[in-house]
Coordinates of all heavy atoms in Angstrom, one line a residue:
M1 N 6.6 -39.2 66.2 CA 5.3 -39.3 65.6 C 5.5 -39.6 64.1 O 6.7 -39.5 63.6 CB 4.6 -38.0 65.7 CG 5.2 -36.8 64.9 SD 4.3 -35.2 65.1 CE 5.1 -34.2 63.8
K2 N 4.5 -40.1 63.4 CA 4.6 -40.4 62.0 C 4.6 -39.2 61.2 O 3.9 -38.2 61.4 CB 3.4 -41.3 61.6 CG 3.7 -42.8 61.6 CD 3.4 -43.4 60.2 CE 3.8 -44.8 60.0 NZ 4.9 -45.3 60.9
C3 N 5.3 -39.2 60.1 CA 5.4 -38.0 59.2 C 4.1 -38.0 58.4 O 3.7 -39.0 57.8 CB 6.6 -38.2 58.3 SG 6.8 -36.9 57.1
V4 N 3.5 -36.8 58.3 CA 2.3 -36.7 57.5 C 2.5 -36.4 56.0 O 1.6 -36.4 55.2 CB 1.4 -35.6 58.1 CG1 0.9 -35.9 59.5 CG2 2.0 -34.2 58.0
I5 N 3.8 -36.1 55.7 CA 4.1 -35.8 54.3 C 4.3 -37.0 53.5 O 3.7 -37.3 52.5 CB 5.4 -34.8 54.2 CG1 5.2 -33.5 55.0 CG2 5.7 -34.6 52.8 CD1 4.0 -32.6 54.5
C6 N 5.3 -37.9 54.0 CA 5.6 -39.1 53.2 C 4.8 -40.3 53.8 O 4.7 -41.3 53.1 CB 7.1 -39.4 53.2 SG 7.7 -39.7 54.9
K7 N 4.3 -40.2 55.0 CA 3.5 -41.2 55.7 C 4.3 -42.5 55.9 O 3.7 -43.6 56.1 CB 2.2 -41.5 54.8 CG 1.3 -40.3 54.7 CD 0.0 -40.7 54.0 CE -1.0 -39.6 54.1 NZ -0.6 -38.3 53.5
H8 N 5.6 -42.4 55.8 CA 6.4 -43.6 56.1 C 7.4 -43.4 57.2 O 7.6 -44.3 58.0 CB 7.1 -44.1 54.8 CG 6.2 -44.6 53.7 ND1 5.5 -45.7 53.8 CD2 5.8 -44.0 52.5 CE1 4.8 -45.9 52.8 NE2 4.9 -44.9 52.0
G9 N 8.0 -42.2 57.2 CA 9.0 -42.0 58.2 C 8.5 -41.7 59.5 O 7.4 -41.4 59.8
E10 N 9.5 -41.8 60.5 CA 9.2 -41.4 61.9 C 10.0 -40.1 62.2 O 11.2 -40.0 61.7 CB 9.7 -42.5 62.8 CG 8.7 -43.7 62.9 CD 7.4 -43.4 63.6 OE1 7.4 -42.5 64.5 OE2 6.4 -44.1 63.3
T11 N 9.5 -39.2 62.9 CA 10.2 -38.0 63.2 C 11.2 -38.2 64.4 O 10.9 -38.9 65.3 CB 9.3 -36.8 63.5 OG1 8.4 -37.2 64.6 CG2 8.4 -36.5 62.3
Q12 N 12.3 -37.6 64.3 CA 13.3 -37.7 65.3 C 13.7 -36.2 65.8 O 13.5 -35.3 65.0 CB 14.7 -38.2 64.7 CG 14.5 -39.5 64.0 CD 14.3 -40.7 64.9 OE1 14.6 -40.6 66.1 NE2 13.7 -41.8 64.4
Q13 N 14.1 -36.1 67.1 CA 14.4 -34.8 67.6 C 15.7 -34.3 66.9 O 16.6 -34.9 66.7 CB 14.7 -35.0 69.1 CG 14.8 -33.6 69.8 CD 13.5 -32.9 69.9 OE1 12.5 -33.5 70.2 NE2 13.5 -31.6 69.5
G14 N 15.5 -33.0 66.4 CA 16.6 -32.4 65.7 C 16.5 -30.9 65.8 O 15.9 -30.4 66.7
S15 N 17.1 -30.2 64.8 CA 17.0 -28.8 64.8 C 16.9 -28.3 63.3 O 17.3 -29.0 62.4 CB 18.1 -28.1 65.5 OG 19.3 -28.3 64.8
T16 N 16.4 -27.1 63.2 CA 16.2 -26.5 61.8 C 16.4 -25.0 61.9 O 16.6 -24.4 63.0 CB 14.8 -26.8 61.3 OG1 14.7 -26.4 59.9 CG2 13.7 -26.1 62.1
T17 N 16.4 -24.4 60.7 CA 16.6 -23.0 60.6 C 15.2 -22.4 60.1 O 14.7 -22.9 59.2 CB 17.7 -22.5 59.6 OG1 18.9 -23.1 60.1 CG2 17.8 -21.0 59.5
V18 N 14.7 -21.4 60.9 CA 13.4 -20.8 60.5 C 13.6 -19.4 60.1 O 14.2 -18.6 60.8 CB 12.4 -20.9 61.7 CG1 11.1 -20.2 61.4 CG2 12.2 -22.3 62.1
T19 N 13.0 -19.0 58.9 CA 13.1 -17.7 58.4 C 11.7 -17.1 58.4 O 10.7 -17.6 57.9 CB 13.6 -17.7 57.0 OG1 14.8 -18.4 56.9 CG2 13.8 -16.3 56.5
L20 N 11.6 -15.9 59.1 CA 10.3 -15.2 59.2 C 10.5 -13.9 58.4 O 11.4 -13.1 58.6 CB 9.9 -14.9 60.6 CG 9.6 -16.1 61.5 CD1 9.5 -15.7 63.0 CD2 8.4 -16.8 61.1
E21 N 9.5 -13.6 57.6 CA 9.5 -12.3 56.9 C 8.2 -11.6 57.2 O 7.1 -12.1 57.1 CB 9.6 -12.6 55.4 CG 11.0 -13.0 54.9 CD 11.0 -13.2 53.4 OE1 11.2 -12.2 52.7 OE2 11.0 -14.4 53.0
K22 N 8.4 -10.3 57.6 CA 7.2 -9.5 58.0 C 7.5 -8.0 57.8 O 8.6 -7.6 58.2 CB 6.9 -9.8 59.5 CG 5.4 -9.7 59.7 CD 5.1 -10.1 61.2 CE 3.6 -10.0 61.3 NZ 3.1 -10.0 62.6
N23 N 6.6 -7.4 57.2 CA 6.7 -5.9 57.0 C 8.1 -5.5 56.4 O 8.7 -4.5 56.8 CB 6.5 -5.2 58.4 CG 5.2 -5.5 59.0 OD1 4.2 -5.8 58.3 ND2 5.1 -5.4 60.3
G24 N 8.6 -6.3 55.5 CA 9.9 -6.0 54.9 C 11.1 -6.4 55.7 O 12.2 -6.2 55.2
S25 N 10.9 -7.0 56.9 CA 12.0 -7.4 57.7 C 12.2 -8.9 57.6 O 11.2 -9.7 57.4 CB 11.8 -7.1 59.1 OG 11.7 -5.7 59.3
T26 N 13.4 -9.4 57.6 CA 13.7 -10.8 57.5 C 14.4 -11.2 58.8 O 15.5 -10.7 59.1 CB 14.5 -11.1 56.3 OG1 13.9 -10.7 55.1 CG2 14.8 -12.6 56.2
I27 N 13.9 -12.1 59.5 CA 14.5 -12.6 60.8 C 14.8 -14.1 60.6 O 13.9 -14.9 60.2 CB 13.6 -12.4 62.0 CG1 12.8 -11.1 61.9 CG2 14.3 -12.6 63.3 CD1 13.7 -9.9 62.1
V28 N 16.0 -14.5 60.8 CA 16.4 -15.9 60.7 C 16.8 -16.4 62.1 O 17.6 -15.8 62.8 CB 17.6 -16.1 59.7 CG1 18.0 -17.5 59.6 CG2 17.2 -15.5 58.4
F29 N 16.2 -17.5 62.5 CA 16.5 -18.2 63.7 C 17.2 -19.5 63.4 O 16.7 -20.3 62.7 CB 15.3 -18.5 64.5 CG 14.6 -17.3 65.1 CD1 13.5 -16.7 64.4 CD2 15.0 -16.6 66.2 CE1 12.8 -15.6 64.9 CE2 14.4 -15.5 66.7 CZ 13.3 -15.0 66.0
K30 N 18.4 -19.7 64.0 CA 19.2 -20.9 63.7 C 19.1 -21.8 64.9 O 18.8 -21.4 66.0 CB 20.7 -20.6 63.5 CG 20.9 -19.7 62.2 CD 22.3 -19.1 62.2 CE 23.2 -20.1 61.5 NZ 24.5 -19.5 61.3
H31 N 19.2 -23.1 64.6 CA 19.2 -24.2 65.6 C 17.8 -24.1 66.4 O 17.8 -24.2 67.7 CB 20.3 -24.1 66.6 CG 21.7 -24.2 65.9 ND1 22.6 -23.2 65.9 CD2 22.1 -25.2 65.1 CE1 23.7 -23.6 65.1 NE2 23.3 -24.8 64.6
V32 N 16.7 -24.0 65.7 CA 15.4 -24.1 66.3 C 15.1 -25.6 66.6 O 15.2 -26.4 65.6 CB 14.4 -23.5 65.4 CG1 13.0 -23.6 66.0 CG2 14.7 -22.0 65.2
P33 N 14.7 -26.0 67.8 CA 14.4 -27.4 68.0 C 13.2 -27.8 67.2 O 12.2 -27.1 67.0 CB 14.0 -27.4 69.5 CG 13.7 -26.0 69.9 CD 14.6 -25.1 69.0
A34 N 13.3 -29.0 66.5 CA 12.3 -29.5 65.6 C 12.3 -31.0 65.6 O 13.3 -31.6 66.0 CB 12.5 -28.9 64.2
H35 N 11.2 -31.5 65.0 CA 11.2 -33.0 64.8 C 11.4 -33.2 63.3 O 10.7 -32.5 62.5 CB 9.8 -33.5 65.2 CG 9.5 -33.3 66.6 ND1 10.0 -34.1 67.7 CD2 8.7 -32.4 67.2 CE1 9.5 -33.7 68.8 NE2 8.8 -32.6 68.6
V36 N 12.4 -34.0 63.0 CA 12.8 -34.1 61.6 C 12.5 -35.6 61.1 O 12.8 -36.5 61.8 CB 14.3 -33.9 61.4 CG1 14.7 -33.9 59.9 CG2 14.7 -32.5 62.0
C37 N 11.8 -35.7 60.0 CA 11.5 -37.0 59.4 C 12.7 -37.7 59.0 O 13.5 -37.2 58.3 CB 10.5 -36.8 58.3 SG 10.1 -38.4 57.4
D38 N 12.8 -39.0 59.4 CA 14.0 -39.8 59.1 C 13.9 -40.3 57.6 O 14.9 -40.9 57.1 CB 14.3 -40.9 60.1 CG 13.2 -41.9 60.2 OD1 12.2 -41.8 59.4 OD2 13.2 -42.7 61.1
N39 N 12.8 -40.1 57.0 CA 12.6 -40.6 55.6 C 12.7 -39.5 54.6 O 13.6 -39.6 53.7 CB 11.3 -41.3 55.5 CG 11.1 -42.0 54.1 OD1 12.0 -42.7 53.6 ND2 10.0 -41.7 53.5
C40 N 11.9 -38.4 54.7 CA 11.9 -37.4 53.7 C 12.5 -36.1 54.1 O 12.8 -35.2 53.3 CB 10.5 -37.1 53.2 SG 9.4 -36.3 54.5
G41 N 12.8 -36.0 55.4 CA 13.5 -34.8 55.9 C 12.6 -33.6 56.2 O 13.1 -32.5 56.6
E42 N 11.3 -33.8 56.2 CA 10.3 -32.8 56.5 C 10.6 -32.4 58.0 O 10.8 -33.3 58.9 CB 8.9 -33.3 56.3 CG 7.9 -32.3 56.7 CD 7.8 -31.1 55.7 OE1 8.4 -31.2 54.6 OE2 7.2 -30.1 56.1
K43 N 10.5 -31.1 58.3 CA 10.7 -30.6 59.6 C 9.4 -30.1 60.3 O 8.7 -29.4 59.6 CB 11.8 -29.5 59.7 CG 13.1 -30.1 59.2 CD 14.2 -29.0 59.2 CE 15.5 -29.6 58.7 NZ 15.5 -29.9 57.3
Y44 N 9.2 -30.5 61.5 CA 8.0 -30.0 62.3 C 8.5 -29.2 63.5 O 9.2 -29.7 64.3 CB 7.2 -31.2 62.7 CG 6.7 -32.1 61.6 CD1 7.5 -33.1 61.1 CD2 5.5 -31.8 61.0 CE1 7.1 -33.9 60.0 CE2 5.0 -32.6 59.9 CZ 5.9 -33.6 59.4 OH 5.4 -34.4 58.4
V45 N 8.0 -28.0 63.6 CA 8.3 -27.1 64.7 C 7.1 -27.1 65.6 O 6.0 -26.8 65.1 CB 8.7 -25.7 64.3 CG1 9.1 -24.8 65.5 CG2 10.0 -25.8 63.4
D46 N 7.2 -27.3 66.9 CA 6.1 -27.2 67.8 C 5.4 -25.9 67.8 O 6.1 -24.8 67.6 CB 6.6 -27.5 69.3 CG 6.9 -29.0 69.5 OD1 6.5 -29.8 68.6 OD2 7.6 -29.3 70.5
D47 N 4.1 -25.9 68.1 CA 3.4 -24.6 68.1 C 3.9 -23.6 69.2 O 4.0 -22.4 68.9 CB 1.9 -24.9 68.4 CG 1.2 -25.5 67.2 OD1 1.7 -25.5 66.1 OD2 0.0 -26.0 67.4
T48 N 4.3 -24.2 70.3 CA 4.8 -23.3 71.4 C 6.1 -22.6 70.9 O 6.4 -21.5 71.2 CB 5.1 -24.1 72.7 OG1 5.9 -25.3 72.3 CG2 3.8 -24.6 73.3
V49 N 6.9 -23.4 70.2 CA 8.2 -22.8 69.7 C 7.9 -21.8 68.6 O 8.5 -20.7 68.6 CB 9.1 -23.9 69.1 CG1 10.3 -23.4 68.4 CG2 9.5 -24.9 70.2
T50 N 6.9 -22.1 67.7 CA 6.5 -21.1 66.7 C 6.1 -19.8 67.3 O 6.4 -18.7 66.9 CB 5.4 -21.7 65.8 OG1 5.9 -23.0 65.3 CG2 5.1 -20.8 64.6
A51 N 5.2 -19.9 68.3 CA 4.7 -18.8 69.0 C 5.8 -18.0 69.6 O 5.8 -16.7 69.6 CB 3.7 -19.2 70.1
E52 N 6.8 -18.6 70.2 CA 7.9 -17.9 70.7 C 8.7 -17.2 69.7 O 9.2 -16.0 69.9 CB 8.8 -18.9 71.5 CG 9.6 -18.3 72.6 CD 10.3 -19.4 73.4 OE1 9.7 -20.4 73.7 OE2 11.5 -19.2 73.7
L53 N 8.9 -17.8 68.5 CA 9.6 -17.2 67.4 C 8.9 -15.9 66.9 O 9.6 -14.9 66.7 CB 9.8 -18.2 66.2 CG 10.7 -19.4 66.4 CD1 10.6 -20.3 65.2 CD2 12.1 -18.9 66.7
L54 N 7.6 -16.0 66.8 CA 6.8 -14.9 66.3 C 6.9 -13.7 67.3 O 7.0 -12.6 66.9 CB 5.4 -15.3 66.2 CG 5.1 -16.3 65.0 CD1 3.6 -16.7 65.0 CD2 5.4 -15.6 63.6
K55 N 6.9 -14.1 68.6 CA 7.0 -13.0 69.7 C 8.4 -12.3 69.6 O 8.5 -11.1 69.6 CB 6.8 -13.7 71.0 CG 6.2 -12.7 72.1 CD 5.9 -13.4 73.4 CE 7.1 -13.3 74.3 NZ 6.9 -14.1 75.5
K56 N 9.4 -13.2 69.5 CA 10.8 -12.6 69.3 C 10.9 -11.7 68.1 O 11.5 -10.6 68.1 CB 11.8 -13.7 69.3 CG 12.1 -14.4 70.6 CD 13.1 -15.5 70.4 CE 13.1 -16.5 71.5 NZ 13.8 -16.0 72.7
A57 N 10.3 -12.2 67.0 CA 10.4 -11.5 65.7 C 9.7 -10.1 65.8 O 10.2 -9.1 65.3 CB 9.8 -12.3 64.6
Q58 N 8.6 -10.1 66.5 CA 7.8 -8.9 66.7 C 8.7 -7.8 67.4 O 8.7 -6.7 67.0 CB 6.6 -9.1 67.6 CG 5.5 -10.0 66.9 CD 4.6 -9.2 66.0 OE1 4.8 -8.0 65.9 NE2 3.7 -9.8 65.4
E59 N 9.4 -8.3 68.4 CA 10.3 -7.4 69.2 C 11.4 -6.9 68.4 O 11.8 -5.7 68.4 CB 10.8 -8.1 70.4 CG 9.8 -8.3 71.5 CD 10.3 -9.3 72.6 OE1 11.5 -9.6 72.7 OE2 9.4 -9.8 73.3
I60 N 12.0 -7.7 67.5 CA 13.1 -7.3 66.7 C 12.6 -6.3 65.6 O 13.3 -5.3 65.4 CB 13.7 -8.6 66.0 CG1 14.3 -9.5 67.0 CG2 14.7 -8.2 64.9 CD1 14.6 -10.9 66.5
I61 N 11.5 -6.6 65.0 CA 10.9 -5.7 64.0 C 10.5 -4.4 64.6 O 10.7 -3.3 63.9 CB 9.7 -6.4 63.3 CG1 10.2 -7.6 62.5 CG2 8.9 -5.4 62.4 CD1 9.1 -8.6 62.1
K62 N 10.1 -4.4 65.8 CA 9.7 -3.1 66.5 C 10.9 -2.2 66.6 O 10.8 -1.0 66.6 CB 9.2 -3.5 67.9 CG 8.1 -2.5 68.3 CD 7.2 -3.2 69.4 CE 8.0 -3.7 70.6 NZ 7.2 -4.3 71.6
N63 N 12.1 -2.8 66.7 CA 13.3 -2.0 66.8 C 13.8 -1.5 65.4 O 14.9 -0.9 65.3 CB 14.4 -2.8 67.5 CG 14.1 -3.1 68.9 OD1 13.4 -2.3 69.6 ND2 14.6 -4.2 69.4
G64 N 13.1 -1.8 64.4 CA 13.4 -1.3 63.0 C 14.5 -2.0 62.4 O 15.1 -1.6 61.4
V65 N 14.7 -3.3 62.8 CA 15.8 -4.1 62.2 C 15.2 -4.7 60.9 O 14.1 -5.2 60.8 CB 16.2 -5.2 63.1 CG1 17.3 -6.1 62.5 CG2 16.8 -4.6 64.4
E66 N 16.0 -4.7 59.8 CA 15.5 -5.2 58.5 C 16.0 -6.7 58.4 O 15.2 -7.5 57.8 CB 16.1 -4.4 57.3 CG 15.3 -3.1 57.2 CD 15.7 -2.3 56.0 OE1 16.3 -2.9 55.1 OE2 15.5 -1.1 55.9
V67 N 17.2 -7.0 58.7 CA 17.7 -8.4 58.7 C 18.4 -8.7 60.0 O 19.2 -8.0 60.5 CB 18.7 -8.5 57.5 CG1 19.2 -10.0 57.5 CG2 18.1 -8.1 56.2
D68 N 18.0 -9.8 60.5 CA 18.6 -10.3 61.8 C 18.7 -11.8 61.8 O 17.8 -12.5 61.4 CB 17.7 -9.8 63.0 CG 18.5 -9.9 64.3 OD1 19.5 -10.5 64.3 OD2 18.0 -9.3 65.3
I69 N 19.9 -12.3 62.1 CA 20.2 -13.7 62.2 C 20.6 -14.0 63.6 O 21.5 -13.4 64.1 CB 21.3 -14.2 61.2 CG1 20.8 -13.8 59.7 CG2 21.5 -15.7 61.3 CD1 21.9 -14.0 58.7
R70 N 19.9 -14.9 64.3 CA 20.2 -15.2 65.7 C 20.0 -16.6 66.0 O 19.3 -17.4 65.4 CB 19.5 -14.3 66.6 CG 18.0 -14.3 66.4 CD 17.3 -13.4 67.5 NE 17.7 -12.0 67.3 CZ 17.7 -11.1 68.2 NH1 17.1 -11.4 69.4 NH2 18.1 -9.8 68.0
E71 N 20.7 -17.0 67.1 CA 20.5 -18.4 67.6 C 19.2 -18.4 68.4 O 18.9 -17.5 69.1 CB 21.7 -18.7 68.6 CG 23.0 -18.8 67.9 CD 23.1 -20.1 67.1 OE1 22.6 -21.2 67.5 OE2 23.7 -20.0 66.0
F72 N 18.5 -19.5 68.2 CA 17.2 -19.6 69.0 C 17.6 -20.1 70.4 O 18.3 -21.0 70.6 CB 16.3 -20.7 68.3 CG 15.1 -20.9 69.1 CD1 14.0 -20.0 69.0 CD2 15.0 -22.0 70.0 CE1 12.9 -20.2 69.8 CE2 13.8 -22.2 70.7 CZ 12.7 -21.3 70.6
Q73 N 17.0 -19.4 71.4 CA 17.2 -19.8 72.8 C 15.9 -19.8 73.4 O 15.2 -18.8 73.5 CB 18.1 -18.8 73.5 CG 19.6 -18.9 73.1 CD 20.5 -17.9 73.7 OE1 20.1 -16.7 73.8 NE2 21.7 -18.2 74.1
S74 N 15.5 -21.0 73.8 CA 14.2 -21.2 74.4 C 14.2 -20.6 75.8 O 15.1 -20.7 76.5 CB 13.8 -22.7 74.5 OG 12.6 -22.8 75.1
A75 N 13.0 -20.0 76.1 CA 12.9 -19.4 77.5 C 12.6 -20.5 78.5 O 12.7 -20.3 79.7 CB 11.7 -18.4 77.4
A76 N 12.2 -21.7 78.0 CA 11.8 -22.7 78.9 C 13.1 -23.4 79.5 O 14.1 -23.5 78.8 CB 11.0 -23.8 78.1
Ligands
ZN1 ZN1 8.5 -37.9 55.9

């Protein structure tokens, strides 16, 4: 798809690191699938992936973890 930030680049399949902070806890997911702009480098994460990240983060925070760094593994 076309990049909405720079309006010139095309996004390519890639990966990114997503950091979620909630209730004083910090959860970092590495190698999250994303579309990366080949011009400006802006990263787009699909809504379904974001929803999955939030769900995982909720579970981690529920266990009282303050900082957690993990590899993203899609359930799909
Ligand atoms: Zn761009």
Side-chain angles (χ1 to χ4, degrees):
M1 67 181 193
K2 261 236 172 340
C3 177
V4 298
I5 302 297
C6 66
K7 297 184 171 62
H8 292 291
E10 284 286 334
T11 57
Q12 309 286 340
Q13 192 68 47
S15 69
T16 186
T17 300
V18 175
T19 304
L20 294 172
E21 286 182 79
K22 212 173 182 198
N23 302 334
S25 296
T26 303
I27 320 293
V28 180
F29 292 98
K30 296 168 88 171
H31 301 121
V32 176
H35 301 280
V36 185
C37 176
D38 61 7
N39 184 49
C40 71
E42 180 70 17
K43 296 178 178 71
Y44 299 88
V45 179
D46 287 345
D47 287 348
T48 51
V49 173
T50 304
E52 206 172 316
L53 289 178
L54 290 173
K55 209 173 93 189
K56 285 178 197 283
Q58 292 278 0
E59 286 167 17
I60 296 165
I61 291 165
K62 215 160 50 183
N63 294 331
V65 177
E66 283 185 20
V67 179
D68 197 344
I69 300 171
R70 54 178 61 201
E71 292 287 321
F72 178 80
Q73 284 173 323
S74 179

